[in-house]
Amino acid sequence: MFDPIPSHVSFPQMEEEVLAFWKARDIYGESLKRREGGPKFVFFEGPPTANGMPHPGHCLTRAIKDLFPRYRTMRGDYCRRKAGWDTHGLPVEVEVCKELGIHAKEEIEAYGIEPFIQKCQQSVWRYMQEWEKLTERIGFWIRLDEAYVTYHQSYVESVWWSLKQLFDKGLLYQGHKIVWWWAQGGTALSAGEVGQGYRQVADPSVYVKFPIVATESAKALGIDSNASLLVWTTTPWTLPSNQFAAVHPTLDYAIVRDEDGSQFVLAAALVPSIHEKVKRELKIEKLIKGSQLVGVRYRPPFDYFTREIRNIDRIVFPGSIDTKVFLKRLQDEFDNDGTCSFMVEFKVLGAEFVTTDSGTGVVHIAPAFGEVDYEVFQKQEERFRHVMGGPLRVRPVLLNTVNPDGKFNEQGPDFCVGRGVKDCDKDITRNLKDRGLLFHQEQYIHEYPFCWRAEEDPLIQYPRRSWFIKTSQFKDEMLANNSHINWLPEHIKDGRFGNFLETNVDWALSRERFWGTPLPIWVCSETGQMEALDSYEQLLAKPGVEGTEVWDSAKQQNPELPDDLKVHKPYIDAVTYDSPFAKGARMQRVTEVIDCWYDSGAMPFAQWGYPHTGRDAFADQFPADFISEAIDQTRGWFYSQLAISTLLFGERGTCDEKVEYPHPFKNCIVLGLMLGEDGQKMSKSKRNYREPNEIFVKYGADALRWYFFANQPPWTSIRYKEQAIKDSIPEFLLRLWNCYSFFVTYAAIDGFDPAARIGGKLEQLSAEELASASGYRPVSERPEIDRWILSELNRTVREVVQRMDAYDNYLACQKLNAFVDALSNWYIRRCRDRFWSDEKDSPDKLDAYFTLYECLLTTTKLIAPFVPFLAETLWRNLTKPLAGKVLESVHLCDYPAGDALVVDDALSAQMALLRDIASLGRAARMDAKLKVRQPLARVEVVLSETTHQPWLEKHDALLKEELNVKEVRYATEGKEYITYQVQPNFKVLGPLVGKLLPKVKELLGKANGAELLAQLKATGQIGLAVGGEQVELTSEHVQVRLSAKPGWAAAQGAGCVVVLNTEVTPALVQEGIARDVIRAVQDRRKEMQCQYTDRIHVGVVTETAELRDAITANLTMIQEATLATKITFEALAGSEGKEVEIADFAAKLFVNVE
RNA sequence: UGGCGCGUAGCUCAGGCGGUAAGAGCGGCGUCCUUAUAAGACGCAGGUCGCGGGUUCAACUCCCGCCGCGCCGACCA
């Protein structure tokens, strides 16, 4: 038989037992084995970094990542789940630096790269155990023992392979990137670090004249020979590196005359504010569009850079020479090896980013020191490439007067050379003033980033050479690919993610760091020519390989070193080989490692070591059907995967394998951000959240999972509140548990034993299998309430499957919740006496058992993906009598499919109405202050819509019991206590009568509702004269609203009114008292912890004859309800009497167990 | 400063192709019910559906503007 249910259930303890069972029987492995050969469902694990403690946000991702694979597996799919760990990158290095108490790059180099990366490798696994524990404890089934690891050799080589594909196709190239540079520390900082260092400072704000070159076209615009562009900047130190001036093409610009006769060009909208600043008359002479200024040339404020370039005048100011001629002449000038460099001329460009919020509307562009500026420069590069019509043989030189140490170089102004840039601001300003180029100067207060470690060091934007992937060339493919992905929520597709793709720039891949996948590019020491390699083996096979001994000796010294390290810095850097490009030259690896986001984005193939190994696995497991991460991964893993996949496997991809869109994933749930108790970001220092472990110990993983799944759509930001997690226990888990407990308790009492009744072939105790049981009657032959709950069950199955197929766990949970509520609060409550009845094997009782049993079994399967622990516990015990014959775990079962034939929509509607009436009846009683215990003679029910009335009339018994009344009467005419209000059916009538609607409403409201209804009933329509028009309304055009007239104990609902007959006869009063006696005795039984089957003797000692009479009059009823074999009015020996109050009468109650 | 999202009850959040009594859960208060229930039922209080404008017979819902919050970015030339 079933195990008895403990009076108090501890979910955490129960879960531990389930975990032990899963482990002992390898249920996860078994669940996979059962689905081998089934349809594939591919899941990708976005690799977490295990070098920090897991927090509640990780619980959510891990829970949702478990839910859908579990569900699909039960639905019959074969879903491999390979774990993975992200192990490279700055976070790891920073952790190790913290541990070593160092910070700067040189310090790492001083410490030694070799010991440093060894530490990195070890640090990666520091919290591994915590992660694995969490993963297991929350019930996330994933193959941890088969996890891919991004630093493993096979993984690294797979990444190398992909990079080689890109390199060989020219998609991986070297270029410049503007980074936030800590000059004193000689390193770039990450965005996170930069964000920490913002401080408010006062910087100089200078308005500088850029004299315009008097060309013909400038004259044509009305610009004098002594005119200047008026340019604003807050970083005077960047002026020596000025290369362009930018204007907005569609803005109005003014040519103004200053009081001293000089002429300026600035944005028309800013003339007043400049006038305010200088208090001089600026007379607008002409308005032109920004686009007209494009191409105008100017003299830069400093020209020290020109020293390096010969004949600068010809280049800088080529006059009206045709561009092609100009370029030809350039080539003549510089051509030696077929390439040449030259200066891009100082001229005005059009740019959309120019605004008139501040400054002058003419923007100083120093491409070396600003990202936007640099983009302008790159566009110029593109333009020249276009002009030349071939490969880039002529390239603009990037002007940079500053060295990486933050000091001016020889190209800078004399008085600045060798000095820190920020220190020179003042002198530069003075120099401009001396040369008459300063128009105005003031202070500007703004936020500026400083080094978060050396707070006195301002950061500067600085160009560094680095490696890029030409993702921007694949923008359209990426967008097309994206359009096929099913994003949840939908708006991610064209919103955040789509926008991000639209503004795609080339992926800055390389990092001048240590612990990462080494960039697999080797450079010829002689020619600078490069080649990419795709494996260590390929490297070793190169002619004249040297340097492998560095690794060998390290390994010899420390045999513990994982072999995977040999493909890392510094070992890999030591390996060189003969150059195929120049005799006697050597090939040496570039020094950079790559962005760790590339690692994770390569995971769809790299997890298998593809293509060196795992070709079949990759072919089988690509693309993914489902992935999920939080929204912060939009530009992270979501992007890196899509970009890499599109570049490699897309239509224009570098690989032979072409995959149809979308790839690499088809469905993606983007989770919201998890917030702390206070709605703020979770923060360890604020302690505004509970540790996951605490939650597991107190409430269990199921409580947490259900809270995640059932309380909100997963993409909303979730508040991680302890109370809310706790609440999911009574709200769902415990309610279901109580239903289950009820069943088991009574099954034990009645000896309902499925093992004794069911034979034949069994597996998962589906409805079909149950049907073979002795005493099992077809659903159609069972009482209506059984048919109803089974209808609800099968409807729930259908809806849950629909929702889950659409990745909508939230609604699925709501449906499950509603079903369990119906089971608990209506089915079991209404059926209790069927389970109590003495006729053990009566068909009715067996029907009840089989019905409830099926409901519980099916529900258990339905909830299994959501709350796998509770489901397993229920399943194990509900199938215990059949152990060995049925599947030992619910997670091996098929997900219920539901039986459409059992769904009875009409019955559902009818029962809903009945429950509604019962609810209204109770409300009416409340209103009239009549306890439910007090029987009443009659209720009257008036329905506005009578379709279901005949059905309801057949179900009086239910209502009578629920409302404790002797009679239920459905009134057809309720005029005494009801008023009828006829209203337009707005939705129907609106489109028909339009503007007349308010008048129709008014007329109907004024009229006598009952009469209108009578008219409608008699003639089928209501005629109204509205605004001179005759409108005929049929029953479809109106809706009837009922309301109880005052003075009646009544309650009104949507479609009905329930009226109580409040007259209480002496017999009813006596029965009410008797019911109270029962309640008192039952209370006492519970206090005495009687068994449900214990027979008792009862003594009621009271001075009130009324009470005694009531008991005498209802003796049998009391005896039956309380299992009392004897009731007397005397004290009973052997027990203490208890003072009680029964229906306002004092009494002493004695109860003895027989 | 841009993009995206959000703003509905004390709290956490649903809902809506525009239709005229605005929903749930929790919390509070009150009443009732109980031989499954650390439960459950019923009720009460609590809402200018962020603000302003527009479209419409009808707007919480659609459109525009604004304000506030959050996230992701950018920028301070």
Side-chain angles (χ1 to χ4, degrees):
Chain A
M1 272 308 280
F2 311 108
D3 281 341
I5 310 297
S7 64
H8 177 100
V9 54
S10 157
F11 288 110
Q13 189 197 329
M14 172 201 91
E15 292 177 0
E16 296 289 352
E17 286 163 18
V18 169
L19 283 171
F21 164 70
W22 285 349
K23 202 171 247 177
R25 305 288 306 159
D26 185 25
I27 299 300
Y28 172 39
E30 195 58 36
S31 78
L32 287 173
K33 218 179 283 170
R34 276 179 65 80
R35 301 307 186 193
E36 266 172 32
K40 272 186 314 183
F41 183 78
V42 180
F43 165 77
F44 287 166
E45 160 78 331
T49 312
N51 80 323
M53 279 291 281
H55 66 73
H58 299 120
C59 291
L60 171 63
T61 41
R62 295 191 101 52
I64 207 108
K65 284 175 180 188
D66 181 64
L67 173 64
F68 289 97
R70 242 183 228 275
Y71 167 72
R72 297 304 321 181
T73 300
M74 287 184 74
R75 292 267 281 148
D77 293 353
Y78 180 52
C79 178
R80 300 172 68 169
R81 281 152 272 180
K82 191 176 165 78
W85 302 104
D86 198 4
T87 56
H88 282 146
L90 211 57
V92 181
E93 293 192 17
V94 166
E95 273 297 308
V96 171
C97 284
K98 261 190 215 157
E99 187 189 326
L100 295 172
I102 59 176
H103 179 72
K105 212 164 136 184
E106 311 88 81
E107 289 176 284
I108 296 172
E109 278 157 356
Y111 175 78
I113 296 176
E114 185 171 0
F116 183 74
I117 68 120
Q118 289 177 11
K119 280 227 175 264
C120 285
Q121 187 271 331
Q122 287 156 15
S123 130
V124 158
W125 303 116
R126 184 167 303 156
Y127 296 102
M128 184 68 170
Q129 272 201 325
E130 260 70 25
W131 274 88
E132 294 201 343
K133 247 195 277 175
L134 171 83
T135 301
E136 186 186 315
R137 186 59 188 80
I138 203 164
F140 181 21
W141 274 359
I142 189 159
R143 276 284 176 237
L144 290 167
D145 47 351
E146 295 169 6
Y148 64 90
V149 178
T150 57
Y151 78 74
H152 280 178
Q153 182 178 344
S154 72
Y155 198 98
V156 166
E157 289 180 320
S158 198
V159 171
W160 282 2
W161 162 82
S162 68
L163 292 170
K164 180 175 164 58
Q165 302 301 305
L166 299 177
F167 181 84
D168 290 351
K169 290 273 159 60
L171 297 175
L172 178 57
Y173 69 97
Q174 258 189 319
H176 270 76
K177 189 193 174 194
I178 305 296
V179 296
W180 277 111
W181 185 253
W182 175 31
Q184 287 85 342
T187 182
L189 296 183
S190 72
E193 291 169 308
V194 175
Q196 282 182 48
Y198 275 93
R199 244 180 32 222
Q200 213 170 52
V201 291
D203 269 336
S205 163
V206 296
Y207 294 78
V208 183
K209 301 180 199 173
F210 284 13
I212 295 171
V213 177
T215 57
E216 289 302 320
S217 53
K219 275 183 209 154
L221 286 173
I223 295 172
D224 286 358
S225 55
N226 67 341
S228 299
L229 297 168
L230 196 58
V231 177
W232 177 65
T233 180
T234 57
T235 50
W237 64 268
T238 62
L239 284 169
S241 304
N242 171 273
Q243 223 162 339
F244 306 102
V247 297
H248 197 289
T250 59
L251 273 180
D252 284 329
Y253 284 81
I255 300 170
V256 299
R257 182 76 63 185
D258 198 354
E259 287 173 359
D260 66 1
S262 56
Q263 216 184 25
F264 298 106
V265 177
L266 72 160
L270 288 162
V271 173
S273 77
I274 300 295
H275 163 76
E276 270 302 300
K277 288 182 201 293
V278 297
K279 307 285 183 206
R280 291 207 302 272
E281 174 100 21
L282 296 172
K283 198 172 144 239
I284 298 179
E285 294 194 327
K286 195 177 175 193
L287 284 180
I288 53 176
K289 287 285 171 196
S291 56
Q292 291 177 276
L293 280 167
V294 171
V296 165
R297 300 177 191 285
Y298 64 88
R299 293 177 190 276
F302 294 92
D303 59 357
Y304 297 83
F305 56 86
T306 55
R307 288 169 192 165
E308 269 199 359
I309 296 173
R310 293 162 285 167
N311 297 331
I312 188 63
D313 282 348
R314 281 171 55 201
I315 299 161
V316 178
F317 311 119
S320 56
I321 293 174
D322 170 70
T323 311
K324 274 186 182 161
V325 175
F326 165 58
L327 289 170
K328 181 73 180 65
R329 279 170 57 177
L330 262 179
Q331 249 176 334
D332 295 344
E333 182 80 14
F334 293 102
D335 205 346
N336 39 27
D337 62 347
T339 62
C340 75
S341 302
F342 72 97
M343 191 68 59
V344 168
E345 65 272 38
F346 302 98
K347 64 168 203 176
V348 176
L349 304 170
E352 301 286 331
F353 61 77
V354 176
T355 64
T356 54
D357 298 340
S358 55
T360 61
V362 185
V363 174
H364 149 61
I365 303 284
F369 304 115
E371 221 171 309
V372 173
D373 306 48
Y374 191 69
E375 277 169 28
V376 170
F377 177 77
Q378 283 176 313
K379 267 197 194 137
Q380 292 303 305
E381 269 189 326
E382 278 298 313
R383 195 169 66 86
F384 279 95
R385 183 203 314 266
H386 182 71
V387 167
M388 295 304 286
L392 189 64
R393 296 159 64 80
V394 176
R395 39 174 83 240
V397 165
L398 180 70
L399 293 188
N400 184 355
T401 57
V402 179
N403 283 337
D405 62 1
K407 292 174 178 160
F408 275 102
N409 60 27
E410 275 68 37
Q411 289 177 328
D414 299 329
F415 56 92
C416 297
V417 175
R419 297 171 60 195
V421 292
K422 282 268 174 187
D423 298 337
C424 294
D425 275 345
K426 264 190 189 152
D427 289 342
I428 289 173
T429 309
R430 187 167 307 130
N431 177 278
L432 290 169
K433 197 172 178 184
D434 292 348
R435 291 192 285 131
L437 293 176
L438 187 68
F439 177 78
H440 179 66
Q441 141 180 43
E442 59 192 20
Q443 284 226 315
Y444 182 76
I445 295 181
H446 65 156
E447 302 261 311
Y448 194 85
F450 288 73
C451 177
W452 58 289
R453 191 161 159 276
E455 287 172 19
E456 293 311 306
D457 299 350
L459 304 179
I460 58 172
Q461 296 213 310
Y462 197 78
R464 291 295 280 178
R465 185 165 274 284
S466 57
W467 289 85
F468 292 85
I469 299 174
K470 283 187 188 164
T471 50
S472 58
Q473 279 190 10
F474 285 76
K475 188 177 98 176
D476 292 341
E477 281 90 337
M478 290 195 284
L479 281 166
N481 198 350
N482 172 46
S483 72
H484 290 87
I485 293 170
N486 178 30
W487 290 97
L488 300 129
E490 231 178 275
H491 61 73
I492 297 286
K493 178 187 287 187
D494 296 319
R496 191 167 288 202
F497 196 72
N499 276 324
F500 179 57
L501 292 180
E502 288 283 359
T503 58
N504 185 267
V505 294
D506 284 354
W507 186 342
L509 183 72
S510 58
R511 297 285 180 270
E512 298 176 61
R513 300 298 304 191
F514 309 101
W515 177 239
T517 299
L519 190 62
I521 291 170
W522 271 257
V523 192
C524 173
S525 58
E526 198 64 34
T527 65
Q529 278 172 285
M530 307 186 191
E531 67 178 356
L533 303 184
D534 69 8
S535 69
Y536 196 69
E537 200 183 339
Q538 197 185 17
L539 175 62
L540 294 186
K542 287 287 178 182
V545 169
E546 286 171 14
T548 49
E549 72 284 352
V550 176
W551 163 253
D552 292 337
S553 70
K555 177 79 179 177
Q556 212 164 15
Q557 263 179 30
N558 181 5
E560 303 276 282
L561 278 188
D563 286 340
D564 297 301
L565 286 188
K566 71 171 175 248
V567 294
H568 283 82
K569 275 170 98 68
Y571 311 110
I572 193 74
D573 291 354
V575 184
T576 61
Y577 59 90
D578 291 342
S579 170
F581 305 108
K583 214 163 182 189
R586 299 289 294 168
M587 296 297 280
Q588 162 92 46
R589 197 187 74 82
V590 300
T591 58
E592 289 97 335
V593 296
I594 66 165
D595 182 0
C596 63
W597 286 110
Y598 190 94
D599 285 351
S600 60
M603 141 296 146
F605 54 90
Q607 65 174 335
W608 309 109
Y610 179 90
H612 311 301
T613 59
R615 279 180 168 271
D616 292 344
F618 174 62
D620 184 59
Q621 296 286 299
F622 186 82
D625 289 291
F626 168 68
I627 67 168
S628 179
E629 299 290 339
I631 193 162
D632 56 352
Q633 294 297 329
T634 314
R635 284 141 204 256
W637 192 54
F638 297 152
Y639 172 68
S640 63
Q641 278 189 95
L642 183 90
I644 294 172
S645 191
T646 306
L647 263 68
L648 292 177
F649 307 115
E651 276 168 44
R652 281 206 300 139
T654 60
C655 294
D656 299 334
E657 290 86 346
K658 303 294 174 210
V659 187
E660 271 179 36
Y661 290 152
H663 58 84
F665 48 86
K666 297 177 183 169
N667 301 286
C668 179
I669 296 182
V670 183
L671 300 170
L673 222 79
M674 181 104 60
L675 305 172
E677 296 263 349
D678 52 3
Q680 303 292 307
K681 240 179 168 169
M682 279 192 298
S683 121
K684 273 185 187 163
S685 56
K686 271 197 265 173
R687 293 214 188 137
N688 59 349
Y689 67 92
R690 304 251 77 91
E691 289 297 332
N693 258 335
E694 203 180 324
I695 299 295
F696 293 143
V697 171
K698 272 178 158 166
Y699 313 110
D702 278 344
L704 185 60
R705 290 174 65 118
W706 189 257
Y707 167 66
F708 286 152
F709 299 150
N711 270 37
Q712 61 276 305
W715 44 82
T716 56
S717 56
I718 296 175
R719 270 217 214 175
Y720 186 74
K721 277 183 109 165
E722 182 177 7
Q723 185 59 45
I725 297 161
K726 186 179 174 184
D727 286 343
S728 59
I729 293 178
E731 275 170 29
F732 182 73
L733 303 180
L734 197 57
R735 194 181 288 172
L736 176 58
W737 182 269
N738 291 332
C739 296
Y740 152 75
S741 164
F742 176 91
F743 170 80
V744 171
T745 303
Y746 283 93
I749 292 170
D750 283 329
F752 175 78
D753 184 0
R757 296 183 173 273
I758 309 178
K761 199 173 162 295
L762 294 178
E763 191 180 52
Q764 33 195 323
L765 280 188
S766 59
E768 298 80 60
E769 288 176 18
L770 283 177
S772 69
S774 69
Y776 180 98
R777 295 203 297 178
V779 175
S780 56
E781 291 171 21
R782 292 187 217 174
E784 194 151 42
I785 192 147
D786 290 357
R787 299 206 313 270
W788 169 74
I789 193 69
L790 289 169
S791 166
E792 295 298 308
L793 176 71
N794 283 281
R795 177 215 303 281
T796 302
V797 169
R798 188 178 65 197
E799 288 168 339
V800 168
V801 166
Q802 264 172 14
R803 293 330 309 157
M804 286 300 282
D805 282 352
Y807 295 93
D808 180 359
N809 52 279
Y810 175 61
L811 219 61
C813 285
Q814 288 193 327
K815 299 289 177 197
L816 285 169
N817 202 23
F819 176 74
V820 171
D821 182 69
L823 184 67
S824 173
N825 285 328
W826 195 248
Y827 182 74
I828 292 183
R829 202 151 68 88
R830 290 318 329 142
C831 290
R832 271 191 291 227
D833 54 0
R834 295 170 70 195
F835 291 95
W836 298 338
S837 92
D838 285 333
E839 303 157 55
K840 278 199 172 181
D841 289 330
S842 73
D844 179 69
K845 189 161 205 171
L846 282 174
D847 284 346
Y849 273 114
F850 276 114
T851 301
L852 184 53
Y853 195 39
E854 183 185 334
C855 285
L856 288 169
L857 286 168
T858 303
T859 304
T860 298
K861 292 174 189 171
L862 286 177
I863 63 168
F866 301 88
V867 282
F869 299 98
L870 175 62
E872 192 73 304
T873 305
L874 298 196
W875 177 260
R876 301 272 298 152
N877 197 24
L878 287 172
T879 61
K880 189 159 181 275
L882 298 156
K885 291 185 193 152
V886 298
L887 294 169
E888 61 181 330
S889 164
V890 70
H891 302 288
L892 303 177
C893 293
D894 295 339
Y895 209 69
D899 183 349
L901 295 177
V902 181
V903 176
D904 184 340
D905 289 327
L907 181 55
S908 286
Q910 287 156 348
M911 193 65 87
L913 186 56
L914 184 64
R915 289 183 72 177
D916 217 29
I917 294 169
S919 171
L920 287 169
R922 282 191 297 263
R925 290 193 79 116
M926 172 78 63
D927 214 34
K929 300 204 187 326
L930 287 163
K931 297 180 183 185
V932 177
R933 231 180 276 131
Q934 175 59 58
L936 293 177
R938 192 170 72 239
V939 294
E940 307 255 1
V941 179
V942 190
L943 297 166
S944 64
E945 208 279 316
T946 53
T947 320
H948 293 313
Q949 187 167 317
W951 182 88
L952 288 167
E953 281 169 353
K954 280 191 260 162
H955 294 76
D956 279 359
L958 254 168
L959 266 187
K960 282 196 231 166
E961 198 179 311
E962 193 65 22
L963 296 178
N964 195 16
V965 295
K966 299 298 173 196
E967 187 191 358
V968 178
R969 188 183 293 168
Y970 289 89
T972 44
E973 292 290 323
K975 278 187 212 153
E976 302 169 65
Y977 25 74
I978 301 293
T979 48
Y980 294 90
Q981 184 68 47
V982 180
Q983 279 200 337
N985 182 344
F986 291 96
K987 214 165 181 173
V988 178
L989 214 48
L992 290 179
V993 303
K995 293 194 179 185
L996 293 178
L997 194 55
K999 278 194 179 148
V1000 172
K1001 181 186 177 185
E1002 195 189 331
L1003 285 173
L1004 287 174
K1006 275 188 198 155
N1008 180 317
E1011 282 169 17
L1012 287 179
L1013 277 181
Q1015 190 189 339
L1016 186 62
K1017 204 170 177 183
T1019 67
Q1021 57 186 26
I1022 297 169
L1024 286 180
V1026 194
E1029 284 184 52
Q1030 185 66 17
V1031 178
E1032 301 295 338
L1033 304 176
T1034 69
S1035 58
E1036 279 174 18
H1037 300 140
V1038 295
Q1039 49 200 352
V1040 181
R1041 195 162 278 178
L1042 312 178
S1043 52
K1045 284 186 176 168
W1048 292 93
Q1052 63 212 18
C1056 72
V1057 170
V1058 176
V1059 185
L1060 294 179
N1061 179 331
T1062 54
E1063 195 186 332
V1064 182
T1065 63
L1068 290 174
V1069 170
Q1070 281 197 331
E1071 196 182 325
I1073 295 170
R1075 293 277 295 247
D1076 213 29
V1077 172
I1078 294 172
R1079 177 198 57 82
V1081 175
Q1082 303 292 26
D1083 270 1
R1084 192 80 193 103
R1085 280 186 69 118
K1086 202 168 182 181
E1087 267 172 32
M1088 295 166 62
Q1089 300 189 329
C1090 289
Q1091 294 297 302
Y1092 303 134
T1093 47
D1094 285 344
R1095 309 283 142 160
I1096 54 171
H1097 291 176
V1098 175
V1100 181
V1101 180
T1102 178
E1103 291 173 6
T1104 314
E1106 229 176 318
L1107 178 53
R1108 283 197 299 269
D1109 292 348
I1111 292 173
T1112 312
N1114 295 281
L1115 201 59
T1116 322
M1117 179 180 90
I1118 297 171
Q1119 282 184 310
E1120 275 175 5
T1122 60
L1123 299 187
T1125 47
K1126 213 166 99 188
I1127 297 182
T1128 68
F1129 295 111
E1130 283 136 29
L1132 296 183
S1135 73
E1136 292 234 344
K1138 199 186 168 197
E1139 299 292 348
V1140 292
E1141 192 168 283
I1142 297 172
D1144 298 333
F1145 307 124
K1148 198 162 198 182
L1149 183 63
F1150 294 82
V1151 174
N1152 279 357
V1153 178
E1154 236 179 35

